[in-house]
Amino acid sequence: MNFITTELTIQVAQTAKEFAIQYIKPHLMEWDESQEFPVHIFKEMGKLGMMGVLVPEKYGGSGLGYFEYNAIIQEIAKVCGSIGLSLAAHNSLCTGHILAFGNEEQKLKYLPKLASAQFIGAWGLTEANTGSDAGNMKTTAIKDGDDWIINGTKSWITHGKSGDVTVVICRTGEARTKDNSTTFIVERGTPGFNAGKKENKLGMRASETAEMIFDNCKIPDANRIGEVGQGFKQSMKVLDGGRISIAALGLGIAKGAYEASVKYAKERHQFDQPIANFQGISFKLADMATEIESADLLIKQACDLKQRHLPMTKESAMAKYYSSEVAVKVSTDAVQIFGGYGYTKDYPVEKFYRDSKLCTIGEGTSEIQKLVISREILK
């Protein structure tokens, strides 16, 4: 394994950092309070190649690897978790699914638009009553000649309202049977495809989360991704890579909270000295730094395996599980270090605190990650 940071990764990270400070930081609390999904920001990121990080250049993407992708998400999330989350969902899920399993015609049609942010992507697996229990999904697709008729509702979908195109997984067989789901591409504006309720969330409020409703939505068989019955298997492979992006998201949030805490601990004086001099504070910072380094190494291990096309289900689950829990712990300690100020919106750590929790839930809860890890080690 080679974890040496290349010059390319450093340059990409610096570009993302400068973009976040210039274009995101001045508006992040405004977007958080109003729950605005700032589509224009993603259009700007598209111009810099951040919306098609892993997409090959022949499809209009940046053609970069997972180390660069990890660095970009971290730098964005250090400033705003919401923007980092939407960036990760667009790249890893919708775009990633088409890149991994789409045919050449589908790739040529959709990847250039997704990589440039002409299209914002959504990905629909989760339903109200089948979150982790995806094999029992209620959304169905029934063959009708050369078309498919989709009916059902997907819940908790990032960009479920504003996404221009969605990759949706539908049940095409009996519930709880093997190979019972299939993947389809559905464009916004297709009759029978509408947005439902937009969620009012604790954190990640500038990342749109909404229902997608399918009511006799007819799409051609050409919009089917891969073979009939392979939807769930495809999704699990997509999530393996997606977990790296959520791990990077959690680590970015943790780093943002930690850096703010170090700065504050040096500046805040009590009893005629910086609070960083007190063991109760300095030991918290030591724990935060150690946990961040540990999460970073787990993520780099998963990136390395993914880059070399080696099995990484266990490693990506470990990275996602640990990094997301670290994000919650570090941001919690950050609020404690800031004291009363940490509980106000005048300082950044309360937002890191609210945003962090989603990392332990989205793309598989911490409990699901433990299930994945335990199954892998007990094989």
Side-chain angles (χ1 to χ4, degrees):
M1 294 184 184
N2 182 3
F3 295 167
I4 296 174
T5 304
T6 66
E7 186 63 33
L8 175 61
T9 304
I10 293 170
Q11 290 175 356
V12 165
Q14 185 62 30
T15 298
K17 179 179 181 178
E18 291 172 359
F19 180 88
I21 292 171
Q22 182 176 352
Y23 293 100
I24 299 173
K25 190 173 183 179
H27 308 288
L28 63 90
M29 289 310 296
E30 169 193 338
W31 297 334
D32 183 79
E33 293 284 347
S34 65
Q35 298 193 75
E36 177 187 349
F37 175 53
V39 175
H40 65 284
I41 285 295
F42 296 92
K43 302 292 186 183
E44 292 299 319
M45 285 196 283
K47 295 176 184 177
L48 294 174
M50 287 192 268
M51 296 295 274
V53 181
L54 303 169
V55 176
E57 292 181 25
K58 72 173 184 175
Y59 299 122
S62 298
L64 298 174
Y66 266 81
F67 285 100
E68 289 75 39
Y69 183 37
N70 168 37
I72 289 169
I73 292 176
Q74 281 193 47
E75 290 299 336
I76 298 297
K78 280 169 66 175
V79 173
C80 181
S82 294
I83 306 302
L85 172 61
S86 280
L87 182 66
H90 173 93
N91 274 280
S92 288
L93 301 181
C94 179
T95 305
H97 201 133
I98 296 172
L99 178 61
F101 298 104
N103 58 37
E104 190 65 12
E105 183 180 347
Q106 291 166 342
K107 290 177 181 179
L108 288 169
K109 182 176 180 180
Y110 291 107
L111 291 180
K113 292 179 180 178
L114 288 163
S116 65
Q118 180 182 342
F119 277 4
I120 300 295
W123 190 76
L125 177 66
T126 304
E127 298 179 7
N129 295 311
T130 56
S132 302
D133 185 17
N136 194 34
M137 68 178 70
K138 300 297 187 289
T139 299
T140 60
I142 298 175
K143 195 77 162 36
D144 180 28
D146 292 330
D147 299 317
W148 291 85
I149 309 298
I150 302 177
N151 281 287
T153 300
K154 294 294 181 177
S155 304
W156 297 98
I157 308 303
T158 305
H159 315 146
K161 182 177 180 181
S162 297
D164 300 287
V165 62
T166 183
V167 170
V168 60
I169 298 87
C170 306
R171 185 161 55 80
T172 49
E174 294 300 317
R176 299 196 187 285
T177 58
K178 187 178 180 181
D179 300 335
N180 72 343
S181 61
T182 305
T183 309
F184 301 92
I185 301 171
V186 185
E187 293 187 37
R188 186 71 61 186
T190 303
F193 174 34
N194 298 291
K197 175 189 176 186
K198 179 180 176 180
E199 302 297 341
N200 184 9
K201 307 192 300 288
L202 168 72
M204 301 291 195
R205 289 166 62 83
S207 176
E208 178 187 277
T209 306
E211 291 178 326
M212 297 192 303
I213 300 171
F214 300 89
D215 182 10
N216 290 319
C217 178
K218 180 186 287 190
I219 59 168
D221 188 57
N223 284 34
R224 171 173 49 83
I225 299 180
E227 297 300 318
V228 173
Q230 296 301 297
F232 185 73
K233 289 181 179 178
Q234 293 173 6
S235 299
M236 294 304 100
K237 291 178 181 177
V238 168
L239 286 171
D240 273 351
R243 285 170 183 146
I244 294 176
S245 68
I246 300 302
L249 175 67
L251 183 56
I253 291 170
K255 284 183 175 180
Y258 165 73
E259 290 175 8
S261 297
V262 170
K263 182 175 184 292
Y264 183 81
K266 290 178 177 179
E267 295 173 350
R268 172 71 168 170
H269 281 65
Q270 292 285 276
F271 304 100
D272 302 319
Q273 58 183 312
I275 63 171
N277 289 354
F278 301 127
Q279 191 178 84
I281 300 298
S282 64
F283 278 19
K284 279 188 187 297
L285 294 172
D287 284 340
M288 294 158 86
T290 302
E291 289 157 358
I292 284 170
E293 289 289 336
S294 300
D296 190 39
L297 287 170
L298 281 171
I299 294 169
K300 286 177 178 174
Q301 176 181 240
C303 287
D304 177 69
L305 293 171
K306 182 71 174 176
Q307 292 271 93
R308 294 190 286 139
H309 306 289
L310 295 174
M312 38 72 76
T313 298
K314 179 188 72 176
E315 289 78 8
S316 66
M318 284 180 167
K320 195 272 187 188
Y321 164 55
Y322 188 74
S323 177
S324 62
E325 294 292 340
V326 164
V328 173
K329 185 177 184 301
V330 168
S331 59
T332 300
D333 284 345
V335 172
Q336 198 70 18
I337 288 170
F338 273 73
Y341 291 114
Y343 205 65
T344 72
K345 294 184 182 292
D346 295 328
Y347 289 82
V349 292
E350 68 86 28
K351 184 176 183 298
F352 288 127
Y353 178 69
R354 289 186 290 110
D355 287 349
S356 67
K357 188 58 191 171
L358 187 277
C359 297
T360 70
I361 299 170
E363 292 197 34
T365 62
S366 290
E367 290 72 24
I368 287 294
Q369 304 312 315
K370 290 181 185 180
L371 182 64
V372 171
I373 295 163
S374 62
R375 282 178 176 172
E376 289 295 312
I377 63 178
L378 293 171
K379 277 184 177 178

